[in-house]
Amino acid sequence: MDDCIFCKIIKGEIPSTKVYEDGRVYAFMDINPIAKGHTLIIPKTHAGNLWEIAPEDLSAVHSAAKTIAGALQKALDAEGVACLQLNGRAVGQVVMHYHLHLVPRVKGAPELPISHWDLKPGDMKEIQSVAMKIAAEIQ
Ligand code: 5GP
Ligand code: ZN
């Protein structure tokens, strides 16, 4: 897609710091890292989000995530790796080309802002009624 930043990165029109590439996938360092090693994995074929991406590309991105998460563990001595993927401006997606964030937490680093929140028990009736609506859409 012509006006997509990540398509331009894949084409080499915008510079990036590559860590991995295969036939379907490109992975590079985020320029605004929220932790050391923050990596983005994208499909080479443009898709805006999880609703649009082809299953083969989705699978390729997440297989690459397994490989790259292993590399983060070894290269940075990461004790954990958070995988984050946003769909839609309402939940903070800024670049409208599917991307999976891999954010490692290395030994001694502060807790990641994306991986902890307060647990408050929900209303079980509401949880069950919402689940029924979702499940009905999957049939
Ligand atoms: P989103 O909120 O859409 O999930 O995150 C988009 C991510 O893309 C952000 O973390 C941002 O730092 C990163 N980003 C935006 N533009 C560029 C760019 O030109 N190069 C790189 N490497 N990362 C970018
Ligand atoms: Zn794109």
Side-chain angles (χ1 to χ4, degrees), residues 47-122:
N49 51 46
L50 188 55
W51 297 292
E52 291 178 8
I53 189 169
E56 299 78 11
D57 285 336
L58 186 63
S59 171
V61 166
H62 286 260
S63 288
K66 187 169 164 64
T67 304
I68 295 165
L72 290 169
Q73 223 175 10
K74 288 188 191 145
L76 303 176
D77 209 7
E79 292 188 306
V81 178
C83 299
L84 177 73
Q85 194 272 311
L86 305 174
N87 298 282
R89 294 194 196 283
V91 295
Q93 184 180 5
V94 173
V95 178
M96 307 315 269
H97 180 129
Y98 185 99
H99 53 281
L100 180 65
H101 296 258
L102 292 191
V103 188
R105 184 175 178 204
V106 304
K107 274 195 181 112
E111 203 158 8
L112 296 175
I114 54 169
S115 64
H116 67 289
W117 54 82
D118 290 339
L119 292 181
K120 289 186 198 140

Side-chain angles (χ1 to χ4, degrees), residues 4-80:
C4 171
I5 293 177
F6 286 177
C7 283
K8 287 184 180 167
I9 284 178
I10 292 162
K11 285 187 262 178
E13 293 169 11
I14 292 178
S16 66
T17 307
K18 178 174 101 170
V19 293
Y20 174 80
E21 181 175 16
D22 64 31
R24 287 186 181 274
V25 166
Y26 188 81
F28 56 106
M29 305 312 289
D30 196 305
I31 45 166
N32 305 293
I34 62 170
K36 186 162 100 176
H38 185 169
T39 304
L40 300 172
I41 313 177
I42 60 178
K44 287 186 171 174
T45 299
H46 180 91
N49 51 46
L50 188 55
W51 297 292
E52 291 178 8
I53 189 169
E56 299 78 11
D57 285 336
L58 186 63
S59 171
V61 166
H62 286 260
S63 288
K66 187 169 164 64
T67 304
I68 295 165
L72 290 169
Q73 223 175 10
K74 288 188 191 145
L76 303 176
D77 209 7
E79 292 188 306

Side-chain angles (χ1 to χ4, degrees), residues 117-137:
W117 54 82
D118 290 339
L119 292 181
K120 289 186 198 140
D123 174 340
M124 276 318 293
K125 281 213 167 76
E126 194 194 353
I127 290 171
Q128 284 160 1
S129 126
V130 170
M132 278 172 61
K133 282 189 191 168
I134 298 167
E137 290 298 337

